[in-house]
Amino acid sequence: QVQLVESGGGLVQAGGSLRLSCAASGSIFSINAMGWYRQAPGKQRELVATITNSGSTNYADSVKGRFTISRDSAKNTVYLQMNRLKPEDTAVYYCNAEITPSTIWGRPQGPNLAYWGQGTHVTASS
């Protein structure tokens, strides 16, 4: 069983900062890309940022220069540092990871699968 658990959301004034964390746990053989997505009320879920296991990053144009994604591979954790938050950043933020599960013998179990966290609320008030 693989789980992604997010933390760090909350309410902040516009212009403020928050840091989200997402830790993957369970029977994990390997983790490839990790990322953050968000879904605002009445809108579709959209990509915020992704990071590969080699450290290559990709950002939505709307967050470039304000958000920074990073990961600690030893801890199976991905972070999202959000600075200069705007009211339009208000959404539920979801962690995503491409994970190869592990058997009880420590071998890969099947192909990469996409896992999602439960979501964490971020509100930037004007």
Side-chain angles (χ1 to χ4, degrees):
Q1 195 80 359
V2 174
Q3 282 188 321
L4 299 181
V5 178
E6 300 128 336
S7 60
L11 172 65
V12 65
Q13 285 192 333
S17 299
L18 284 173
R19 189 190 194 212
L20 305 182
S21 300
C22 171
S25 63
S27 300
I28 297 171
F29 179 80
S30 64
I31 302 178
N32 291 327
M34 303 184 80
W36 291 94
Y37 292 72
R38 67 186 181 187
Q39 187 167 17
K43 295 188 176 181
Q44 290 188 331
R45 190 173 298 190
E46 63 177 4
L47 179 146
V48 176
T50 61
I51 184 168
T52 68
N53 54 7
S54 62
S56 296
T57 58
N58 180 52
Y59 294 92
D61 288 342
S62 59
V63 307
K64 282 181 181 177
R66 299 187 298 122
F67 291 10
T68 302
I69 189 170
S70 61
R71 67 190 282 177
D72 184 334
S73 295
K75 295 181 179 180
N76 290 340
T77 299
V78 63
Y79 305 96
L80 186 68
Q81 178 66 44
M82 304 184 293
N83 298 328
R84 304 200 309 274
L85 281 158
K86 303 176 181 180
E88 50 264 43
D89 294 319
T90 295
V92 178
Y93 284 69
Y94 296 92
C95 173
N96 170 270
E98 296 173 0
I99 295 174
T100 301
S102 174
T103 67
I104 60 173
W105 299 282
R107 303 288 292 175
Q109 183 176 36
N112 279 350
L113 297 174
Y115 290 87
W116 292 89
Q118 79 284 0
T120 185
H121 289 262
V122 171
T123 302
S125 63
S126 57

